Amino acid sequence: MASEDVKASESAVEKIVSLAEEAKLARQEIRPTSHAVISICKSLVAGGVAGGVSRTAVAPLERLKILLQVQNSHSIKYNGTISGLKYIWRTEGFKGLFKGNGTNCARIVPNSAVKFFSYEQASKGILYLYQQQTGNDAQLTPLLRLGAGACAGIIAMSATYPMDMVRGRITVQTEKSPYQYRGMVHALSTILREEGPRALYKGWLPSVIGVIPYVGLNFAVYESLKEWLVKTKPLGLVDDSTELGVVTRLACGAVAGTLGQTVAYPLDVVRRRMQMVGWKDAASIVTGDGRSKASLEYSGMIDTFRKTVRYEGFSALYKGLVPNSVKVVPSIAIAFVTYEQVKDLLGVEIRISD
C-alpha cells in the first residue's frame, strides 16, 4: 500500500516512537557523538528486527492482500480471506504463504535508515525556515513535525521503491507462472534488462500521492482520539493523569492506522496493478490463466483508476482490504513487544561490554 512504504511497510508504533525520538534530536540540535551514533544503530537494529518479526507473522495476510489486488477479473480464484488462504495452502503449501516476505523484510533496514536521517534533516530545514518567519526561539509544532515526517517518508519510499516493486512481482508468482524470478537480485536484473530502469518505479506516483491522506488522517485521528480519551475518560481507560497507557496508545494507533489505510487504499490497489504492467511472462494470477490480459493494458494512474472502476466496479478499488485490516492489530502488537525486547537486549549487551 502507499501507506506500507511510507508507513511503513511500516507500523504505527514504530512511527510514533521514531517521530518522538527524532523530533527531540531535531529540537535540541544534538551533535552526533559516539554515544548518539550507537543509540541510532541500536534503534535501527531494534526496528529492523521488530519489523521483520511482525511482517513475517502477518506475511500470509499481506500476500493474500496483494493477490486479491491484482487478481484478473476473468479468472477469479477466491474472494474471501479464509478461502484465499486455503487456496494458497492447497496449491502452494506452507511456503506459499510466505512468498515475497524475504524481499519485504530486506527493505526494512535501508528504509528505516533513510527515513531516520531524512527526518532529521527535514526537521532542521523546516525549523530553520519557521524560525526565520516567527523568531529564533520557535520550536517545531506538531503540524511541522507531520510535514517533516511526510517528507522523510517520501524520500525513504523513493529510495527503496525498486525493492517494493520487485517484492510485488515475486509475491504474486505461483507455480503456474511461465517464468520464475529466483530472488530479489535476479528479479531486479531481469526487469532492468527486459523493461529498462524506469520500470522499477512503476506505480511510484500513486504511492507519493497516498502519503497525504494516509499520514494526515493517521496523525489527526490519533491526536483526536488521545484528546477525547483524556477528556472523557471512558470505561476507566485513563486515570487522573493526562498520559495514556501503552495499551490505550496502541489501540489509538491501530484505529488511526486502519482509517488512514482505508482512505488511501485505492491508491495502493492502483500502485500494485501498475507494477504488473509490462511483465512479459506475468504470473497466471495476473493474466487470468491466459484468458485475458486486459489488466496489463494500463497506461498510467488515471487510466488504471478508470479501467478498474469501469470493468470491475468501484468495489474493486478495495480488493484485499479485509486481510489488510485484519493484520493491523497483531502487526502493531508484535512489532511493539519485539522492539522493546530487542532494545533491552542490546542495552544489556552494551552495558556488559562497557
Side-chain angles (χ1 to χ4, degrees):
M1 186 183 89
S3 51
E4 251 182 339
D5 299 297
V6 180
K7 28 195 173 139
S9 44
E10 330 283 39
S11 77
V13 171
E14 288 174 312
K15 287 182 183 176
I16 294 168
V17 173
S18 64
L19 286 178
E21 292 178 350
E22 294 160 6
K24 183 179 179 181
L25 284 173
R27 288 197 302 270
Q28 296 178 352
E29 294 184 352
I30 298 177
R31 295 179 179 177
T33 62
S34 59
H35 178 74
V37 172
I38 292 175
S39 178
I40 291 172
C41 291
K42 285 172 58 181
S43 296
L44 288 176
V45 171
V49 174
V53 172
S54 64
R55 292 184 188 195
T56 300
V58 299
L61 291 170
E62 177 66 18
R63 189 187 181 212
L64 177 61
K65 179 200 77 171
I66 297 176
L67 289 171
L68 288 170
Q69 287 177 331
V70 302
Q71 184 176 223
N72 193 292
S73 60
H74 295 274
S75 181
I76 295 178
K77 305 293 185 182
Y78 37 78
N79 285 315
T81 302
I82 302 300
S83 62
L85 292 174
K86 286 182 176 179
Y87 181 86
I88 296 172
W89 178 276
R90 186 174 67 253
T91 57
E92 301 181 63
F94 180 76
K95 288 178 62 176
L97 296 171
F98 296 89
K99 188 169 289 185
N101 183 59
T103 307
N104 192 25
C105 292
R107 297 170 48 238
I108 297 174
V109 172
N111 185 278
S112 299
V114 175
K115 188 182 297 182
F116 185 93
F117 292 109
S118 297
Y119 182 86
E120 184 177 5
Q121 296 304 315
S123 297
K124 290 180 179 179
I126 291 174
L127 179 60
Y128 173 78
L129 294 175
Y130 185 58
Q131 288 176 341
Q132 296 300 309
Q133 298 292 327
T134 60
N136 291 329
D137 59 344
Q139 299 295 323
L140 283 173
T141 65
L143 186 61
L144 292 177
R145 288 198 298 271
L146 174 65
C151 290
I154 292 174
I155 293 172
M157 180 270 296
S158 299
T160 59
Y161 191 83
M163 298 176 71
D164 179 71
M165 193 273 188
V166 164
R167 195 260 295 202
R169 290 198 176 183
I170 292 176
T171 298
V172 303
Q173 281 188 156
T174 63
E175 297 302 322
K176 294 182 180 180
S177 299
Y179 183 80
Q180 296 285 332
Y181 294 129
R182 295 192 296 270
M184 182 177 66
V185 175
H186 179 247
L188 283 169
S189 61
T190 302
I191 294 171
L192 281 171
R193 184 178 66 254
E194 295 183 353
E195 303 174 48
R198 290 183 60 183
L200 295 175
Y201 281 88
K202 288 177 179 177
W204 176 82
L205 182 58
S207 297
V208 173
I209 296 175
V211 170
I212 300 172
Y214 175 77
V215 175
L217 188 60
N218 197 352
F219 181 83
V221 172
Y222 181 78
E223 292 298 326
S224 298
L225 276 175
K226 283 205 312 180
E227 183 179 353
W228 178 74
L229 288 171
V230 169
K231 285 183 178 180
T232 61
K233 298 179 172 61
L235 304 175
L237 293 175
V238 184
D239 53 25
D240 294 334
S241 67
T242 58
E243 292 295 325
L244 299 179
V246 173
V247 176
T248 306
R249 282 186 281 122
L250 285 174
C252 291
V255 172
T258 301
L259 289 176
Q261 288 180 9
T262 301
V263 171
Y265 194 79
L267 289 162
D268 189 52
V269 173
V270 167
R271 170 175 70 115
R272 289 297 175 200
R273 294 192 170 200
M274 291 177 68
Q275 288 177 348
M276 305 299 134
V277 174
W279 192 0
K280 185 178 65 175
D281 298 307
S284 58
I285 193 74
V286 178
T287 62
D289 295 322
R291 298 180 189 178
S292 172
K293 292 193 177 183
S295 59
L296 302 181
E297 297 175 355
Y298 305 127
S299 60
M301 184 180 70
I302 301 301
D303 186 55
T304 307
F305 267 113
R306 183 174 59 83
K307 287 182 177 177
T308 298
V309 174
R310 179 179 177 182
Y311 295 115
E312 302 177 53
F314 183 79
S315 62
L317 295 174
Y318 286 91
K319 285 184 174 181
L321 180 62
V322 173
N324 184 69
S325 300
V326 169
K327 70 183 177 68
V328 170
V329 174
S331 178
I332 290 176
I334 293 170
F336 179 80
V337 172
T338 307
Y339 182 81
E340 292 300 319
Q341 293 295 323
V342 175
K343 275 208 313 181
D344 291 343
L345 181 62
L346 292 175
V348 170
E349 288 179 348
I350 288 177
R351 285 196 295 270
I352 292 175
S353 63
D354 290 338

